[in-house]
Amino acid sequence: AQKITQTQPGMFVQEKEAVTLDCTYDTSDPSYGLFWYKQPSSGEMIFLIYQGSYDQQNATEGRYSLNFQKARKSANLVISASQLGDSAMYFCAMRAINTGGFKTIFGAGTRLFVKA
Amino acid sequence: GAVVSQHPSRVICKSGTSVKIECRSLDFQATTMFWYRQFPKKSLMLMATSNEGSKATYEQGVEKDKFLINHASLTLSTLTVTSAHPEDSSFYICSARDPNAKNIQYFGAGTRLSVL
């Protein structure tokens, strides 16, 4: 069975500092994709970053980077130089190609609060 | 980036009426779209996978006769909540898979349904 776990229901970070949001996953499928989405209070899900299970390097997108530890089955999101606009709900997600088809499962989410 | 448009953003209806929600991929063709439901302060729950030109695949526990899905073209999927009841009140979000962008799912802005 596939599973995504986000153990931090809420996180606080000071503006301009870096923050790491944890995500662990479980799948028996050797081929999978990992995603992070941001959901501000408006409700829209915003794609942030993608990591493929066979990618050799950790994904980076601007201030977002994904710390991919395959052996540990973790895919933590690192946000550098936090901004007030980063305050939102963050979801980790996974799609296992062979066993999951194109279905993506989501973690419970982490609410990030950026303090001025 | 890819854009998915969802309409309406908010709808209030009387119990017993039907409500149609549209999801469009604006700059790519989506053979597969997904419909999610999100309860307050909860993660996304996949309701069904919408396949262009064929029947939708519903998740276990989702009533296919209540939540009708039509994927008539490569850019449009609709979700119709039939004979809506107050317990159907929720936030519904669609997403579309971009086959040209690592199958990343892009989300619509969501529809907040309130059934009186």
Side-chain angles (χ1 to χ4, degrees):
Chain A
Q2 299 171 66
K3 190 177 180 182
I4 287 277
T5 303
Q6 292 179 256
T7 57
Q8 307 154 313
M11 288 278 288
F12 285 88
V13 65
Q14 194 68 40
E15 191 180 12
K16 299 180 184 178
E17 292 186 351
V19 63
T20 298
L21 306 183
D22 295 342
C23 173
T24 58
Y25 61 91
D26 191 19
T27 180
S28 58
D29 201 316
S31 180
Y32 51 89
L34 297 159
F35 308 80
W36 277 93
Y37 288 88
K38 172 184 177 182
Q39 187 178 41
S41 56
S42 61
E44 183 175 2
M45 295 284 283
I46 302 168
F47 167 74
L48 295 179
I49 197 165
Y50 166 83
Q51 178 85 43
S53 59
Y54 291 118
D55 292 343
Q56 295 295 316
Q57 294 185 322
N58 286 347
T60 60
E61 291 285 348
R63 293 187 299 112
Y64 305 107
S65 61
L66 200 151
N67 186 1
F68 182 41
Q69 304 277 327
K70 194 169 183 177
R72 294 183 176 182
K73 292 190 175 180
S74 73
N76 298 340
L77 176 71
V78 180
I79 305 175
S80 62
S82 298
Q83 302 172 356
L84 295 178
D86 293 334
S87 293
M89 195 76 171
Y90 289 82
F91 291 98
C92 179
M94 176 180 70
R95 183 184 68 242
I97 308 302
N98 292 328
T99 57
F102 287 113
K103 290 192 294 187
T104 302
I105 60 170
F106 287 79
T110 296
R111 184 164 294 282
L112 178 66
F113 300 91
V114 180
K115 300 182 291 184
Chain B
V3 178
V4 173
S5 172
Q6 187 172 342
H7 178 80
S9 58
R10 190 177 190 95
V11 58
I12 302 171
C13 69
K14 291 183 178 180
S15 186
T17 61
S18 294
V19 174
K20 180 185 282 188
I21 304 170
E22 292 187 349
C23 182
R24 295 179 185 272
S25 57
L26 297 185
D27 54 0
F28 64 95
Q29 293 184 328
T31 54
T32 307
M33 292 185 175
F34 304 89
W35 288 96
Y36 293 85
R37 184 172 179 176
Q38 187 177 29
F39 294 97
K41 299 183 179 180
K42 296 290 185 182
S43 188
L44 280 71
M45 181 193 79
L46 179 64
M47 297 174 65
T49 302
S50 173
N51 303 300
E52 187 269 336
S54 64
K55 291 182 179 179
T57 305
Y58 289 83
E59 295 301 301
Q60 191 173 11
V62 178
E63 299 176 60
K64 57 183 68 177
D65 293 332
K66 179 156 191 67
F67 298 101
L68 299 179
I69 291 172
N70 184 276
H71 196 150
S73 76
L74 286 171
T75 59
L76 173 64
S77 175
T78 61
L79 168 68
T80 301
V81 183
T82 62
S83 187
H85 287 94
E87 57 266 30
D88 298 325
S89 298
S90 192
F91 191 59
Y92 294 88
I93 314 176
C94 75
S95 75
R97 180 176 63 86
D98 187 349
N100 300 316
K102 299 179 180 178
N103 289 310
I104 292 169
Q105 283 183 237
Y106 293 97
F107 284 79
T111 298
R112 190 161 300 283
L113 171 64
S114 300
V115 185
L116 305 178

mmCIF file with all atom_site columns, all heavy atoms in Angstrom, chain B residues 63-74:
data_model
loop_
_atom_site.group_PDB
_atom_site.id
_atom_site.type_symbol
_atom_site.label_atom_id
_atom_site.label_alt_id
_atom_site.label_comp_id
_atom_site.label_asym_id
_atom_site.label_entity_id
_atom_site.label_seq_id
_atom_site.pdbx_PDB_ins_code
_atom_site.Cartn_x
_atom_site.Cartn_y
_atom_site.Cartn_z
_atom_site.occupancy
_atom_site.B_iso_or_equiv
_atom_site.pdbx_formal_charge
_atom_site.auth_seq_id
_atom_site.auth_comp_id
_atom_site.auth_asym_id
_atom_site.auth_atom_id
_atom_site.pdbx_PDB_model_num
ATOM 1  N N   . GLU B 1 63 ? -20.309 7.660  -4.588  1.00 0.00 ? 63 GLU B N   1
ATOM 2  C CA  . GLU B 1 63 ? -21.500 7.252  -5.337  1.00 0.00 ? 63 GLU B CA  1
ATOM 3  C C   . GLU B 1 63 ? -21.443 7.802  -6.757  1.00 0.00 ? 63 GLU B C   1
ATOM 4  O O   . GLU B 1 63 ? -21.559 9.011  -6.980  1.00 0.00 ? 63 GLU B O   1
ATOM 5  C CB  . GLU B 1 63 ? -22.751 7.774  -4.641  1.00 0.00 ? 63 GLU B CB  1
ATOM 6  C CG  . GLU B 1 63 ? -22.963 7.256  -3.229  1.00 0.00 ? 63 GLU B CG  1
ATOM 7  C CD  . GLU B 1 63 ? -24.179 7.914  -2.593  1.00 0.00 ? 63 GLU B CD  1
ATOM 8  O OE1 . GLU B 1 63 ? -25.283 7.769  -3.142  1.00 0.00 ? 63 GLU B OE1 1
ATOM 9  O OE2 . GLU B 1 63 ? -24.026 8.592  -1.560  1.00 0.00 ? 63 GLU B OE2 1
ATOM 10 N N   . LYS B 1 64 ? -21.316 6.926  -7.720  1.00 0.00 ? 64 LYS B N   1
ATOM 11 C CA  . LYS B 1 64 ? -21.202 7.381  -9.103  1.00 0.00 ? 64 LYS B CA  1
ATOM 12 C C   . LYS B 1 64 ? -22.495 7.977  -9.631  1.00 0.00 ? 64 LYS B C   1
ATOM 13 O O   . LYS B 1 64 ? -22.482 8.816  -10.529 1.00 0.00 ? 64 LYS B O   1
ATOM 14 C CB  . LYS B 1 64 ? -20.737 6.234  -10.002 1.00 0.00 ? 64 LYS B CB  1
ATOM 15 C CG  . LYS B 1 64 ? -21.597 5.006  -9.980  1.00 0.00 ? 64 LYS B CG  1
ATOM 16 C CD  . LYS B 1 64 ? -20.993 3.916  -10.866 1.00 0.00 ? 64 LYS B CD  1
ATOM 17 C CE  . LYS B 1 64 ? -19.705 3.386  -10.276 1.00 0.00 ? 64 LYS B CE  1
ATOM 18 N NZ  . LYS B 1 64 ? -19.123 2.276  -11.049 1.00 0.00 ? 64 LYS B NZ  1
ATOM 19 N N   . ASP B 1 65 ? -23.626 7.569  -9.081  1.00 0.00 ? 65 ASP B N   1
ATOM 20 C CA  . ASP B 1 65 ? -24.895 8.133  -9.531  1.00 0.00 ? 65 ASP B CA  1
ATOM 21 C C   . ASP B 1 65 ? -25.142 9.506  -8.930  1.00 0.00 ? 65 ASP B C   1
ATOM 22 O O   . ASP B 1 65 ? -25.975 10.266 -9.431  1.00 0.00 ? 65 ASP B O   1
ATOM 23 C CB  . ASP B 1 65 ? -26.051 7.196  -9.160  1.00 0.00 ? 65 ASP B CB  1
ATOM 24 C CG  . ASP B 1 65 ? -25.990 5.892  -9.928  1.00 0.00 ? 65 ASP B CG  1
ATOM 25 O OD1 . ASP B 1 65 ? -25.449 5.900  -11.056 1.00 0.00 ? 65 ASP B OD1 1
ATOM 26 O OD2 . ASP B 1 65 ? -26.455 4.870  -9.406  1.00 0.00 ? 65 ASP B OD2 1
ATOM 27 N N   . LYS B 1 66 ? -24.460 9.788  -7.868  1.00 0.00 ? 66 LYS B N   1
ATOM 28 C CA  . LYS B 1 66 ? -24.633 11.093 -7.229  1.00 0.00 ? 66 LYS B CA  1
ATOM 29 C C   . LYS B 1 66 ? -23.644 12.114 -7.805  1.00 0.00 ? 66 LYS B C   1
ATOM 30 O O   . LYS B 1 66 ? -23.970 13.266 -7.972  1.00 0.00 ? 66 LYS B O   1
ATOM 31 C CB  . LYS B 1 66 ? -24.393 10.975 -5.730  1.00 0.00 ? 66 LYS B CB  1
ATOM 32 C CG  . LYS B 1 66 ? -24.527 12.300 -5.004  1.00 0.00 ? 66 LYS B CG  1
ATOM 33 C CD  . LYS B 1 66 ? -24.856 12.090 -3.563  1.00 0.00 ? 66 LYS B CD  1
ATOM 34 C CE  . LYS B 1 66 ? -25.238 13.415 -2.942  1.00 0.00 ? 66 LYS B CE  1
ATOM 35 N NZ  . LYS B 1 66 ? -26.491 13.925 -3.477  1.00 0.00 ? 66 LYS B NZ  1
ATOM 36 N N   . PHE B 1 67 ? -22.456 11.653 -8.080  1.00 0.00 ? 67 PHE B N   1
ATOM 37 C CA  . PHE B 1 67 ? -21.411 12.533 -8.606  1.00 0.00 ? 67 PHE B CA  1
ATOM 38 C C   . PHE B 1 67 ? -21.123 12.095 -10.046 1.00 0.00 ? 67 PHE B C   1
ATOM 39 O O   . PHE B 1 67 ? -20.288 11.231 -10.304 1.00 0.00 ? 67 PHE B O   1
ATOM 40 C CB  . PHE B 1 67 ? -20.151 12.445 -7.747  1.00 0.00 ? 67 PHE B CB  1
ATOM 41 C CG  . PHE B 1 67 ? -20.360 12.883 -6.320  1.00 0.00 ? 67 PHE B CG  1
ATOM 42 C CD1 . PHE B 1 67 ? -20.518 11.945 -5.305  1.00 0.00 ? 67 PHE B CD1 1
ATOM 43 C CD2 . PHE B 1 67 ? -20.401 14.230 -5.988  1.00 0.00 ? 67 PHE B CD2 1
ATOM 44 C CE1 . PHE B 1 67 ? -20.715 12.342 -3.984  1.00 0.00 ? 67 PHE B CE1 1
ATOM 45 C CE2 . PHE B 1 67 ? -20.590 14.644 -4.678  1.00 0.00 ? 67 PHE B CE2 1
ATOM 46 C CZ  . PHE B 1 67 ? -20.750 13.698 -3.680  1.00 0.00 ? 67 PHE B CZ  1
ATOM 47 N N   . LEU B 1 68 ? -21.831 12.726 -10.965 1.00 0.00 ? 68 LEU B N   1
ATOM 48 C CA  . LEU B 1 68 ? -21.707 12.360 -12.375 1.00 0.00 ? 68 LEU B CA  1
ATOM 49 C C   . LEU B 1 68 ? -20.538 13.109 -13.001 1.00 0.00 ? 68 LEU B C   1
ATOM 50 O O   . LEU B 1 68 ? -20.439 14.328 -12.896 1.00 0.00 ? 68 LEU B O   1
ATOM 51 C CB  . LEU B 1 68 ? -22.992 12.708 -13.123 1.00 0.00 ? 68 LEU B CB  1
ATOM 52 C CG  . LEU B 1 68 ? -24.265 11.999 -12.645 1.00 0.00 ? 68 LEU B CG  1
ATOM 53 C CD1 . LEU B 1 68 ? -25.461 12.463 -13.463 1.00 0.00 ? 68 LEU B CD1 1
ATOM 54 C CD2 . LEU B 1 68 ? -24.119 10.487 -12.747 1.00 0.00 ? 68 LEU B CD2 1
ATOM 55 N N   . ILE B 1 69 ? -19.696 12.368 -13.672 1.00 0.00 ? 69 ILE B N   1
ATOM 56 C CA  . ILE B 1 69 ? -18.523 12.970 -14.306 1.00 0.00 ? 69 ILE B CA  1
ATOM 57 C C   . ILE B 1 69 ? -18.574 12.712 -15.794 1.00 0.00 ? 69 ILE B C   1
ATOM 58 O O   . ILE B 1 69 ? -18.809 11.586 -16.243 1.00 0.00 ? 69 ILE B O   1
ATOM 59 C CB  . ILE B 1 69 ? -17.234 12.397 -13.691 1.00 0.00 ? 69 ILE B CB  1
ATOM 60 C CG1 . ILE B 1 69 ? -17.073 12.892 -12.248 1.00 0.00 ? 69 ILE B CG1 1
ATOM 61 C CG2 . ILE B 1 69 ? -16.009 12.792 -14.523 1.00 0.00 ? 69 ILE B CG2 1
ATOM 62 C CD1 . ILE B 1 69 ? -15.945 12.236 -11.494 1.00 0.00 ? 69 ILE B CD1 1
ATOM 63 N N   . ASN B 1 70 ? -18.332 13.778 -16.529 1.00 0.00 ? 70 ASN B N   1
ATOM 64 C CA  . ASN B 1 70 ? -18.290 13.697 -17.986 1.00 0.00 ? 70 ASN B CA  1
ATOM 65 C C   . ASN B 1 70 ? -17.015 14.352 -18.476 1.00 0.00 ? 70 ASN B C   1
ATOM 66 O O   . ASN B 1 70 ? -16.687 15.471 -18.086 1.00 0.00 ? 70 ASN B O   1
ATOM 67 C CB  . ASN B 1 70 ? -19.513 14.399 -18.583 1.00 0.00 ? 70 ASN B CB  1
ATOM 68 C CG  . ASN B 1 70 ? -19.554 14.252 -20.086 1.00 0.00 ? 70 ASN B CG  1
ATOM 69 O OD1 . ASN B 1 70 ? -18.925 15.019 -20.816 1.00 0.00 ? 70 ASN B OD1 1
ATOM 70 N ND2 . ASN B 1 70 ? -20.270 13.266 -20.553 1.00 0.00 ? 70 ASN B ND2 1
ATOM 71 N N   . HIS B 1 71 ? -16.299 13.652 -19.333 1.00 0.00 ? 71 HIS B N   1
ATOM 72 C CA  . HIS B 1 71 ? -15.040 14.177 -19.879 1.00 0.00 ? 71 HIS B CA  1
ATOM 73 C C   . HIS B 1 71 ? -15.164 14.144 -21.392 1.00 0.00 ? 71 HIS B C   1
ATOM 74 O O   . HIS B 1 71 ? -14.618 13.267 -22.064 1.00 0.00 ? 71 HIS B O   1
ATOM 75 C CB  . HIS B 1 71 ? -13.893 13.291 -19.384 1.00 0.00 ? 71 HIS B CB  1
ATOM 76 C CG  . HIS B 1 71 ? -12.542 13.904 -19.542 1.00 0.00 ? 71 HIS B CG  1
ATOM 77 N ND1 . HIS B 1 71 ? -11.499 13.619 -18.686 1.00 0.00 ? 71 HIS B ND1 1
ATOM 78 C CD2 . HIS B 1 71 ? -12.040 14.772 -20.456 1.00 0.00 ? 71 HIS B CD2 1
ATOM 79 C CE1 . HIS B 1 71 ? -10.423 14.286 -19.059 1.00 0.00 ? 71 HIS B CE1 1
ATOM 80 N NE2 . HIS B 1 71 ? -10.718 14.981 -20.128 1.00 0.00 ? 71 HIS B NE2 1
ATOM 81 N N   . ALA B 1 72 ? -15.905 15.107 -21.899 1.00 0.00 ? 72 ALA B N   1
ATOM 82 C CA  . ALA B 1 72 ? -16.315 15.070 -23.301 1.00 0.00 ? 72 ALA B CA  1
ATOM 83 C C   . ALA B 1 72 ? -15.215 15.463 -24.273 1.00 0.00 ? 72 ALA B C   1
ATOM 84 O O   . ALA B 1 72 ? -15.244 15.088 -25.443 1.00 0.00 ? 72 ALA B O   1
ATOM 85 C CB  . ALA B 1 72 ? -17.525 15.979 -23.500 1.00 0.00 ? 72 ALA B CB  1
ATOM 86 N N   . SER B 1 73 ? -14.246 16.225 -23.801 1.00 0.00 ? 73 SER B N   1
ATOM 87 C CA  . SER B 1 73 ? -13.176 16.653 -24.697 1.00 0.00 ? 73 SER B CA  1
ATOM 88 C C   . SER B 1 73 ? -11.858 16.622 -23.945 1.00 0.00 ? 73 SER B C   1
ATOM 89 O O   . SER B 1 73 ? -11.828 16.391 -22.739 1.00 0.00 ? 73 SER B O   1
ATOM 90 C CB  . SER B 1 73 ? -13.448 18.062 -25.221 1.00 0.00 ? 73 SER B CB  1
ATOM 91 O OG  . SER B 1 73 ? -13.162 19.027 -24.229 1.00 0.00 ? 73 SER B OG  1
ATOM 92 N N   . LEU B 1 74 ? -10.793 16.879 -24.672 1.00 0.00 ? 74 LEU B N   1
ATOM 93 C CA  . LEU B 1 74 ? -9.455  16.819 -24.062 1.00 0.00 ? 74 LEU B CA  1
ATOM 94 C C   . LEU B 1 74 ? -9.169  18.019 -23.155 1.00 0.00 ? 74 LEU B C   1
ATOM 95 O O   . LEU B 1 74 ? -8.117  18.070 -22.535 1.00 0.00 ? 74 LEU B O   1
ATOM 96 C CB  . LEU B 1 74 ? -8.386  16.728 -25.152 1.00 0.00 ? 74 LEU B CB  1
ATOM 97 C CG  . LEU B 1 74 ? -8.297  15.370 -25.843 1.00 0.00 ? 74 LEU B CG  1
ATOM 98 C CD1 . LEU B 1 74 ? -7.373  15.460 -27.053 1.00 0.00 ? 74 LEU B CD1 1
ATOM 99 C CD2 . LEU B 1 74 ? -7.803  14.299 -24.891 1.00 0.00 ? 74 LEU B CD2 1
#
